[in-house]
Amino acid sequence: MNHIQDRIPLANGTAIPCVGFGTWKTPASQAAASVAAALAAGYRHIDTATAYHNEQAVGEAVAASGIPRGALFLTTKLWNPDQATVPRSPHATALSARWERIMWIFT
């Protein structure tokens, strides 16, 4: 890796940035500004989770950034009970509505 935006190819043909910006322990009140600063610094992989309670703020920063959605790799995690209802879970529905596309990857 030579640059923050270098990517690693995945088996499905997409490529994930080598370095991601994590939002764990970032309060929702600070998440939008933190993610906006990370995007401005060149991060193109943003990680969040339902349990972090900041997904909406992360989505707002992504939407406000003006960076084409296809240029970003967003990861999130759901609690186990929510996984049974994807994409009907309230969290998944809110994410899908906020972000233009979500690629659900199940392992």
Side-chain angles (χ1 to χ4, degrees):
M1 182 182 91
N2 296 316
H3 190 271
I4 196 171
Q5 292 182 13
D6 287 351
R7 294 174 177 248
I8 299 170
L10 301 175
N12 68 358
T14 59
I16 186 170
C18 296
V19 177
F21 181 78
T23 62
W24 183 57
K25 292 195 175 184
T26 304
S29 62
Q30 298 173 13
S34 296
V35 170
L39 294 171
Y43 283 91
R44 293 299 180 264
H45 178 186
I46 307 297
D47 176 73
T48 187
T50 301
Y52 302 173
H53 304 287
N54 61 17
E55 289 175 319
Q56 181 173 344
V58 169
E60 290 168 1
V62 167
S65 73
I67 298 169
R69 177 59 185 90
L72 299 172
F73 201 103
L74 303 171
T75 55
T76 191
K77 282 88 55 202
L78 297 172
W79 283 111
N80 282 335
D82 290 333
Q83 292 180 25
T85 59
V86 169
R88 295 180 316 223
S89 95
H91 305 295
T93 302
L95 282 173
S96 296
R98 171 56 73 190
W99 297 334
E100 294 174 18
R101 65 185 174 128
I102 298 290
M103 179 185 353
W104 297 101
I105 300 172
F106 297 96
T107 57

